[in-house]
Amino acid sequence: MTDEELVARITQLVEEEHRLEGSRIGEGLSDGDARRLRDLEVALDQTWDLLRQRRARRAAGMDPDGAEARDPRTVEGYRQ
């Protein structure tokens, strides 16, 4: 994926996340919606991580296409 495609994917994921969160204001999420929200959060973390890797590789004079998506356990284990 190109940087532009990654940014578009991030935008789509964020929009879905906001729709899901907004659809149940005051009611709470169903189990299925809560799982989907968690999946969206992980997908966002993975996509942001991949975009950051590409930018870092480019800044270091390396091929950004060498960046690879990391597994959820890795990206979810990063310290904030």
Side-chain angles (χ1 to χ4, degrees):
M1 284 187 138
T2 66
D3 290 4
E4 293 79 14
E5 291 169 326
L6 289 169
V7 169
R9 179 70 179 141
I10 289 166
T11 300
Q12 291 171 337
L13 292 168
V14 167
E15 287 173 355
E16 184 178 353
E17 180 184 48
H18 288 174
R19 275 193 308 274
L20 186 59
E21 290 173 335
S23 70
R24 298 292 185 164
I25 293 175
E27 297 176 25
L29 296 174
S30 68
D31 289 343
D33 286 346
R35 277 191 299 277
R36 180 60 186 150
L37 185 58
R38 179 68 185 137
D39 290 345
L40 287 168
E41 291 168 352
V42 171
L44 275 165
D45 288 345
Q46 286 179 295
T47 308
W48 272 113
D49 177 68
L50 183 56
L51 181 59
R52 287 184 192 103
Q53 284 182 63
R54 287 181 57 82
R55 289 174 174 172
R57 289 179 67 84
R58 188 176 293 111
M62 300 170 68
D63 182 5
D65 291 334
E68 295 182 5
R70 297 182 225 230
D71 66 274
R73 282 184 39 194
T74 300
V75 298
E76 292 305 294
Y78 292 152
R79 292 184 180 182
Q80 296 296 321

